[in-house]
Coordinates of all heavy atoms in Angstrom, one line a residue:
M375 N 5.5 27.0 4.8 CA 5.4 25.6 4.5 C 5.1 25.5 3.0 O 4.4 26.4 2.4 CB 4.2 24.9 5.2 CG 4.1 23.5 5.0 SD 2.9 22.6 6.1 CE 1.4 22.8 5.2
L381 N -0.3 15.0 -9.9 CA -1.3 14.2 -10.4 C -0.8 13.4 -11.6 O -0.2 14.1 -12.5 CB -2.6 14.9 -10.8 CG -3.2 15.8 -9.7 CD1 -4.3 16.7 -10.3 CD2 -3.7 14.9 -8.5
F382 N -1.0 12.1 -11.6 CA -0.5 11.3 -12.7 C -1.6 10.6 -13.4 O -2.6 10.2 -12.8 CB 0.5 10.2 -12.2 CG 1.7 10.7 -11.5 CD1 1.9 10.4 -10.2 CD2 2.7 11.3 -12.2 CE1 3.0 10.8 -9.6 CE2 3.8 11.8 -11.6 CZ 4.0 11.5 -10.3
A388 N -0.3 0.2 -18.6 CA 0.3 0.1 -17.2 C -0.4 -1.0 -16.5 O -1.6 -1.1 -16.4 CB 0.1 1.4 -16.4
T389 N 0.4 -1.9 -15.8 CA -0.1 -3.0 -15.1 C -0.4 -2.7 -13.7 O 0.1 -1.7 -13.1 CB 0.9 -4.2 -15.1 OG1 2.0 -3.9 -14.4 CG2 1.2 -4.6 -16.6
E391 N 0.7 -4.2 -11.2 CA 1.9 -4.4 -10.4 C 2.8 -3.1 -10.6 O 3.4 -2.7 -9.6 CB 2.7 -5.6 -11.0 CG 2.0 -7.0 -10.6 CD 0.9 -7.3 -11.6 OE1 0.7 -6.7 -12.7 OE2 0.1 -8.2 -11.2
K393 N 1.7 -0.1 -11.1 CA 1.1 1.0 -10.4 C 1.3 0.8 -8.9 O 1.6 1.8 -8.2 CB -0.4 1.0 -10.6 CG -0.8 1.3 -12.1 CD -2.3 1.1 -12.3 CE -2.6 1.1 -13.8 NZ -4.1 0.9 -14.0
A397 N 3.4 3.3 -6.0 CA 3.0 3.7 -4.6 C 3.9 3.3 -3.5 O 4.3 4.0 -2.6 CB 1.6 3.2 -4.4
E399 N 7.1 2.4 -3.7 CA 8.5 3.1 -3.7 C 8.4 4.6 -3.3 O 9.3 5.1 -2.7 CB 9.1 2.9 -5.0 CG 9.5 1.4 -5.2 CD 10.5 1.1 -6.2 OE1 11.4 2.0 -6.5 OE2 10.5 0.0 -6.8
V406 N 13.7 7.8 3.8 CA 15.0 8.1 3.2 C 15.3 9.6 3.1 O 16.4 10.0 3.2 CB 15.0 7.5 1.7 CG1 16.2 7.9 0.9 CG2 14.8 6.0 1.7
S412 N 5.1 15.6 5.7 CA 4.0 14.6 5.6 C 3.9 14.2 4.1 O 4.4 15.0 3.2 CB 2.7 15.2 6.1 OG 2.2 16.2 5.2
A419 N -10.1 7.2 -6.5 CA -11.2 6.3 -6.0 C -12.1 5.9 -7.1 O -13.0 5.0 -6.9 CB -11.9 7.0 -4.9
N422 N -15.4 9.9 -10.2 CA -15.7 10.8 -11.3 C -14.8 10.4 -12.5 O -13.6 10.2 -12.4 CB -15.4 12.2 -10.9 CG -16.3 12.8 -9.9 OD1 -17.5 12.5 -9.8 ND2 -15.8 13.5 -8.9
H426 N -7.4 12.2 -12.9 CA -6.1 11.5 -13.0 C -6.2 10.2 -12.2 O -7.1 10.0 -11.4 CB -5.0 12.4 -12.4 CG -4.7 13.6 -13.2 ND1 -3.9 13.6 -14.3 CD2 -5.3 14.9 -13.2 CE1 -3.8 14.8 -14.8 NE2 -4.7 15.6 -14.2
F434 N 6.4 20.2 3.1 CA 7.8 20.5 3.5 C 7.8 21.8 4.3 O 7.0 22.7 4.1 CB 8.7 20.6 2.3 CG 8.6 19.4 1.4 CD1 7.6 19.3 0.4 CD2 9.5 18.4 1.6 CE1 7.6 18.2 -0.4 CE2 9.4 17.2 0.8 CZ 8.4 17.1 -0.2
D438 N 13.6 25.1 0.6 CA 14.9 24.3 0.6 C 14.6 22.9 0.8 O 15.2 22.0 0.2 CB 15.9 24.9 1.6 CG 16.5 26.2 1.1 OD1 16.4 26.5 -0.1 OD2 17.0 26.9 2.0
D439 N 13.7 22.6 1.8 CA 13.4 21.2 2.1 C 12.7 20.5 0.9 O 13.0 19.3 0.6 CB 12.5 21.0 3.3 CG 13.2 21.3 4.6 OD1 14.5 21.4 4.6 OD2 12.6 21.4 5.6
L441 N 13.2 21.3 -2.2 CA 14.2 21.1 -3.3 C 15.1 19.9 -3.0 O 15.5 19.2 -3.9 CB 15.1 22.4 -3.4 CG 14.3 23.6 -4.0 CD1 15.2 24.8 -3.9 CD2 13.8 23.3 -5.3
H449 N 14.6 9.7 -5.0 CA 13.4 10.2 -5.6 C 13.5 10.2 -7.2 O 12.6 9.7 -7.9 CB 13.1 11.6 -5.1 CG 11.8 12.2 -5.7 ND1 11.8 13.5 -6.2 CD2 10.6 11.7 -5.8 CE1 10.6 13.8 -6.6 NE2 9.8 12.7 -6.4
I453 N 11.3 8.1 -10.1 CA 10.7 8.7 -11.2 C 11.2 8.0 -12.5 O 10.4 7.7 -13.4 CB 11.1 10.2 -11.3 CG1 10.4 11.0 -10.1 CG2 10.7 10.9 -12.6 CD1 10.9 12.4 -9.9
R464 N 1.2 14.3 -16.5 CA 1.5 14.7 -15.2 C 1.1 16.2 -15.0 O 1.3 17.0 -15.9 CB 3.0 14.6 -14.9 CG 3.5 15.1 -13.6 CD 5.0 15.1 -13.6 NE 5.6 15.6 -12.4 CZ 5.9 16.9 -12.1 NH1 5.6 17.8 -13.0 NH2 6.3 17.2 -11.0
A465 N 0.6 16.5 -13.9 CA 0.3 17.9 -13.5 C 0.8 18.1 -12.1 O 0.7 17.2 -11.3 CB -1.2 18.2 -13.5
A466 N 1.4 19.3 -11.8 CA 2.0 19.5 -10.5 C 1.8 21.0 -10.1 O 1.7 21.9 -11.0 CB 3.4 19.1 -10.4
Q468 N 3.1 23.6 -6.6 CA 3.7 23.8 -5.2 C 3.0 25.0 -4.6 O 3.1 26.1 -5.2 CB 5.2 24.0 -5.3 CG 6.0 22.8 -5.7 CD 5.9 22.6 -7.2 OE1 6.1 23.5 -8.0 NE2 5.7 21.4 -7.7

Side-chain angles (χ1 to χ4, degrees):
M375 186 170 89
L381 304 172
F382 299 114
T389 67
E391 292 80 15
K393 296 172 193 177
E399 292 200 28
V406 175
S412 70
N422 295 318
H426 290 274
F434 304 90
D438 288 341
D439 286 352
L441 294 174
H449 180 228
I453 292 169
R464 175 187 178 273
Q468 292 76 45

